[in-house]
Amino acid sequence: MRYSAFKIFREGLTGNKGWTPAWRDPEPKPEYDIVIIGGGGHGLATAYYLAKEFGLRNVAVLEKGWIGSGNVGRNTTIIRSNYLLPGNEPFYEMSLKLWEGLEQDFNYNAMVSQRSILNLIHSDAQRDAFVRRANAMFLAGADAELADADQLRAELPFLDFDNARFPIKGGLFQRRGGTVRHDAVAWGYARGADARGVDIIQNCEVTGFDIENGKCRGVETTRGAIRARKVAVCVAGSSGRVMALAGMRLPIESHVLQAFVTEGLKPVLPGVITFGAGHFYVSQSDKGGLVFGGDIDGYNSYAQRGNLPVVEDVAEGGMAIMPMIGRARLLRNWGGIMDMSMDGSPFIDRTHIDGLYFNGGWCYGGFKATPASGMCYAHLLARDAPHPVATEMRLDRFARGHLIDEKGMGNQPNLH
Amino acid sequence: MSQVNRIKGGLIDRSTEISFSFNGKAMQGHPGDTLASALLANGQRLVGRSFKYHRPRGIFTAGSEEPNALVELRKGAAQEPNTRATVAELFDGLEARSQNHRGSLEFDLMAVTDLLSPFLSAGFYYKTFMWPRAFWEKLYEPAIRASAGLGQLSMEEDPDCYDKGYLHCDLLVIGAGPAGLMAARTAARAGVRVILADEDFVMGGRLNAETLEVDGMPGADWAATVVAELAAMENVRLMPRSTVYGAYDHGIYGMLERCTDHLAFSGGKPRQVLWRVYSRHAVLAAGATERPIAFGNNDRPGVMLAGAVRAYANRWGVAPGRRVAVFTNNDDGWRSAADLVAKGVEVPAVIDTRDAPAVCDVHGARHIRGAAVMDTKGRKGLRQISLIDGQMIDVDCLAVSGGWNPNVHLTCHQRGRPEWRDDLAAFVPGRDLPPGMVVAGAANGAMTLAAALRDGVAVTERLGYTDTGDLPRAEDEPRDGAPIWHVSQSRARAWLDLQNDVTVKDVKQAHQEGFRSVEHLKRYTTLGMATDQGKTANIPALAVMAECTGKTIPETGTTIFRPPYTPVPIGALAGRARGRDFRPYRLTPSHRWAEANGATFVEVGNWLRAQWFAREGEQGWRDSVDREVLMTRRSVGICDVTTLGKIDIQGRDAGEFLNRVYCNGFATLAVGRVRYGLMLREDGIAYDDGTTARMGEHHYVMTTTTANAVTVFRRLEFARQCLWPDLDVHLISTTDGWAQFAVAGPNARNLLRKVVDKAHDLSNEAFPFMGCGEVTVCGGMPARLFRISFSGELAYEVAVPARFGNAMMGVLMEAGREFDAVPYGTEALGVMRIEKGHAAGNELNGQTTAHNLGMGRMVSRKKDCIGNVLSHRPELLREDAVKLVGFRPVNRDTGLIAGSHFIGQGDAVMMDNDQGWMSSVAYSPSLGHSIGLGFLKRGDARLGEILRAVSPVHGREMEVEVVPAHFIDPEGERLRG
Amino acid sequence: MAEYTLQAEPPLAGTKMEIAGVRLWAPADLALVSLALPLGREDAADRAIKSAYGVDLPEIGRSVLAEDDTRLIRLAPDLAFALFTHATPDAGRVVAQRLNDALYTTDQTDVWVALALSGPDARRALERICPIDLHPQVFGLGHAARTVMEHLGVLILRTGEDDYLLLSASSSAKSFLHAVEVSLHNIA
Amino acid sequence: MIIHHPLLGPRDAAEFVYLGDAALIDRPDWQAENAAEAFHAYGYLRDNPAGVHQELWYHEQGDRSWLVVTRNTVNHEISRVELARDVARARGRGR
């Protein structure tokens, strides 16, 4: 079924009785060419691009709960490509370009809104680092724009320019950055993949891998064994748990990241604002809630909930930078589990087990990466060669000493 | 008399009349009123508009679960959007306004969306607005945003202050209704520390809203006597107006106390206090929330929850209507009818979905059995209801009861799942409660008064707190019911989520489109996402979904309740940490001197440091900085460098310890000598640098960079305790203890000779470069002297106890007067270190190795040290790695740009041609042109080469020449002189 | 006679006020010296303490008053502080000599600043910033704890029934005073 | 969270700084033949269990001790807290 204004109009006149399921609810088949473990944004995008770009349709996506129940369903919805390092920036820029055409591509309005993202600058050293990054973005074909304090004062008069502990000295804009309605991304990809023949199987948890002589032949699930030529793990947040079933230790720790939304408010924020001297970033959703977040709690956790110190820390950052939000109320606060990698950058790679592939380590930057991650993983699965923008996202990079460490924090995941 | 609906009784002070306004209209109420009760008393039924369709909305509940009656309170910067009128305490002068309408509340222009509702069903926006692409941001989205949202922020800084605090107790009782009061009393009498918190401003919970008796007295009176007993006990803390909003790990609870929200003016005191309550145990006695039944047009003002209707009558002396019908599926609804009649309100009918005898006698009311309300009329307020059998009844208020849901929210904050109880047709707390928490009363499914009282005692005793007193006498009032969730015969839209306009049809459509998991349902329809978090909507919607799927409600699922229980202002979560109080300030010892001498300050972490010292006549900061550099290099300059981390390291194994934490050797450092040290992280990346001085046989003083002072200390403690626990090493920070000044320049020694006591020989022979020692200054003041140089000049750092630092700065300047000594700030410091080619934060950025920094040979292969092994990984030692080198502009008039990238002559400006970046730049007044440090591929082998430094973000590029990083005195003659 | 002399300017010198019935002041001339117990030579260190001060080192988290009014505060297995009144900037040397160098000493006098609070509501004010439980049954006389208040590291001591001594870093003395002052104002 | 410090009693976790897996105590021998491999595993590979986890916390706003905390990563329950120094010695670390 193709969605359109006309379709809505016709359904509206006939009592909205003609809508059909956005995706089927198939029983798992005994065998697929490719089984993707994880019905999150990345897994569904991978399936979509496998079918659409590489013509591989005998594909299943296995999801232990409901699709989109992982981090694509609980994030702060930001898209951007303002990275520094060559191992990252071309990948995220490709992702941003994919976002730009995504809705027309999969015929689903995910409310991609390029309302800009701003990183505030509070010191000269920070400005030097942002200039370097802005130029790296240009070199990779992305957009970037430096603003001085006066310009920001005119554009965002509600920021605290006069009484701030860490004065605002300027900012780095990426105007093409913005936000996306996160759940819709999962649904759009699922619907698109389903329409192209991919089986999306919910409530199907993988309990083991069928590995023989160094080759992965399929998976055990709560709904029976499923054989596959290739098994693609795509379960960021749970990577450690799932890959342990294949006997692998990863350069990843699982950490909880909290996110926050306020009650609905009439429009106050034009775009995404990031306060680097504190730990706070914020945007406003189409429904009016201020959606914000900060640092991870900082300890290993699979609990999908956090604790008060970070809640307070984030609120302090918010009040420090925009004290007008003091009377806005926090409505909901949730936690998601992040694959925090050892250098803050992800992996899209084969493993040492033949037929077993791994996508993970997204830290808390996975949402914006969804389209490119799907595209690059699909490329790897279909061609057995990395996509040109994902050549450095390898598991062996630490052994080689090839680090993609944007923040320069080293092998301590909770600092990335 | 504006209070047309005021009836007798209630816990309000009728002797005092207070004035308030709603949408500018003056109204009156009494102390004890909420804004909602006062609005109802004044006959104001229409109070707001719904989120999506802008449908008229009235007051629906009498508590914090309110989905409809959201208003803006106060004005100007104090404007407070989305406040529930049902919990806003009335005060004299209160100004309230309705929100979310264009034009007046009565004639909201946006109400046109309601006419388009067939086209705006669940998830419609995912299916359209995609063409043309550019229209989304420009047209569709702004329109959606403007119509969405609810209240308005003032856009001004929150004028109130907030505070936080910590409370500790043995038992936290959450909710001061019958169960909570009994729990608190039991534990209090047992002598343990008790905190009793309730979100209401009057303790007693439902007892204040009911006509039930305890121990032979009215419930509210009984509650007051218990509260009085507790208030007199030293081990009890009563906290009304305090909402426990979150249950966090290990018995930590978040609680918001509203201190001045019920006052017209805060008097400069915190508006709210955010308490973290540390409690061994908690009794959750949060009561229950009534749920509605969905039927056609059930969203009109005048349709209310039955328990709320009787609360208004009993507690506030307000009749929400003049003719009030009751629609119920359970016994409890009948009590509303009976209480209203007892207060003289006309109740034309009690419509019970059950075909069963009357629960009690309701004078004047028809009992309509096995019936249901199907539709309503009344555009801005209820006028008439029609039943499924076709009969119509004129009413202006309909009290609806669909049963009660235990308030299990806090039991789920640690991911516990509630369990379904068929006899109650409701979820009750599951077994997986937050550790230390027990649940009592209606929250635990003990739905009658007597049961709640019993339960409050029982759960507390189970925690080990016992009281031998008698259980208060009360009755078990009838609470039977038979669930019905929506009236299937209704043809008109039947609302589930009143705020977000989610109807039964929307749920059915979500099912039809495959959004069947509860989470999909919520996300697709926005059910339960409004400010009330679906407190009244979620369970009925779940029931509708269960009907569609043919499963039971528990099979269909439950949603996860997350903190906060009710919304918490961001201002309260931030507390005092805002504006200049966001983080503490650290001041250098000479701060006062600097202030008095024209310093401009800059934030360096939490420190404020003098950036430069402007003199009269200087046109801008560059003038000052150039002068400071030139005067220092020409004669002598003084800079407060106290912010560098200082760690006192003592112990028999201190030398060995240092040898392991620095990559270069420290084993051979002699007493009285200083050495530069480079520290790596264990992953082999350069981490921090500084000097360490050997002050005595077993005594060293380490300096770290300002930025890393805290983390270096932490890492050293890790090495000491976890890696080599049997080394005798002891660390203590002395950063704040010593005021340390760099005295740099050709006249540094001459100046210091005037200050350091004569007994100390400062000659080059006696106190050479990289020497150190304890000295006295100014006639016996203990001091430390280090001959080290960051500027490249003949330089010393002299340290005195910090309390003498301000005076010391003055003395140094006074002694330096004959040399034209200048104070210099961080800018001049930065210029001189770039001139000298020293790496600083921009170079030691956590991404560079000793190899990159040109210090690869310092990493000794002959000993173990942190980072040694991993620093030798192949790709970190690549032959084409970037190397730190100097740059100068080919056109000397050009200013370099930090952050520019290096591109070869003739190469395209793109990533594949990127050869490195400029990390630091400065204008060198010594050389008369801009200079830079940067990282360039194979940089050390490319001296003399001409490259382009491009900065596309500035739209600029310039030619630069690769030069050695030492721009000044490359042989180091000055600093050894 | 030296040409120049140095005047001491302790960051909170002269602080003295009463808010909410609580007296708040900065005690003058407090000296603080850290005492680290050499590994493997703890017994000798203990003996040196005993002979110098006439008391044993207290348990961790406790302090004792020695005969000369020096307060010995035990912070960790191998670390204690000696807190005493001493105006001249040689407290470290004085203590080291007294202990016969059996412990590693570091003068901490200028690293810290002190604020004293006294009054029945002192605890209620501290409740706003102090995360640890100061209830008299839990935090008894002489108890000592290092913790964090308003982002500042603080060593808190209970020196009397309603008396507390708070020590924090000297560089952030003003923020420290502000934090305590605001706490008092907010309960007044 | 609350960490029951073995010497100081219950303290809010906010006084502490987290490092990670207590395996970081087991720093390999730099002279071993497989030192490169061993240090790679030490520095980069983690068990990352969903369940009981031994981990290092530093009492920065307290007594500056490093602790080994045994905590369940699924429900955050802490079952044991030890001084890291004792653990390190028990694991054979010395000078």
Side-chain angles (χ1 to χ4, degrees), chain A residues 73 113-114 304 330 398 400, chain B residues 137 141 523 568 873 875:
Chain A
S113 176
Q114 293 182 284
Q304 289 198 328
L330 170 68
F398 302 115
R400 290 184 286 123
Chain B
E137 278 111 352
E141 189 180 42
R523 287 150 194 263
V568 179
R873 283 176 289 174
E875 295 208 22

Side-chain angles (χ1 to χ4, degrees), chain B residues 323-324 326 334-350 358-367:
Chain B
R323 275 172 62 82
V324 184
V326 173
W334 285 81
R335 252 199 0 262
S336 297
D339 287 359
L340 287 170
V341 169
K343 294 257 176 186
V345 180
E346 184 185 351
V347 178
V350 177
V359 174
C360 59
D361 183 36
V362 182
H363 181 72
R366 283 198 294 146
H367 173 200

Side-chain angles (χ1 to χ4, degrees), chain A residues 80-255:
Chain A
R80 59 186 172 88
S81 69
N82 51 1
Y83 282 74
L84 169 69
L85 299 174
N88 275 330
E89 178 58 15
F91 172 87
Y92 286 102
E93 176 55 20
M94 181 176 99
S95 206
L96 194 50
K97 290 204 170 78
L98 287 169
W99 282 117
E100 286 170 332
L102 184 65
E103 296 156 305
Q104 291 70 30
D105 189 72
F106 65 20
N107 180 232
Y108 206 78
N109 184 359
M111 301 177 208
V112 176
S113 176
Q114 293 182 284
R115 295 184 292 130
S116 87
I117 179 163
L118 168 68
N119 286 281
L120 293 172
I121 294 172
H122 305 274
S123 72
D124 291 345
Q126 214 181 12
R127 182 185 292 113
D128 294 348
F130 274 128
V131 169
R132 179 186 166 204
R133 183 198 295 210
N135 286 327
M137 291 162 67
F138 269 97
L139 263 57
D143 67 304
E145 182 185 320
L146 283 173
D148 62 21
D150 289 342
Q151 200 180 328
L152 292 182
R153 198 187 275 267
E155 206 168 313
L156 305 165
F158 52 82
L159 296 181
D160 190 349
F161 290 93
D162 300 319
N163 198 37
R165 174 69 180 80
F166 299 102
I168 297 168
K169 297 194 168 171
L172 172 63
F173 275 110
Q174 184 178 30
R175 299 284 183 187
R176 285 163 63 238
T179 57
V180 179
R181 170 82 183 98
H182 56 309
D183 291 317
V185 176
W187 302 338
Y189 276 123
R191 188 170 157 270
D194 176 86
R196 287 168 177 81
V198 172
D199 281 357
I200 295 166
I201 301 162
Q202 303 188 72
N203 301 308
C204 178
E205 183 174 358
V206 170
T207 53
F209 292 91
D210 175 8
I211 297 171
E212 224 181 277
N213 300 328
K215 172 151 179 57
C216 182
R217 300 169 182 282
V219 293
E220 313 288 338
T221 80
T222 50
R223 295 172 70 173
I226 301 172
R227 288 174 67 83
R229 287 199 301 113
K230 294 180 179 177
V231 174
V233 177
C234 198
V235 295
S238 299
S239 293
R241 258 197 286 209
V242 172
M243 294 308 278
L245 297 175
M248 281 182 70
R249 294 173 86 212
L250 298 174
I252 286 173
E253 291 178 1
S254 293
H255 284 257

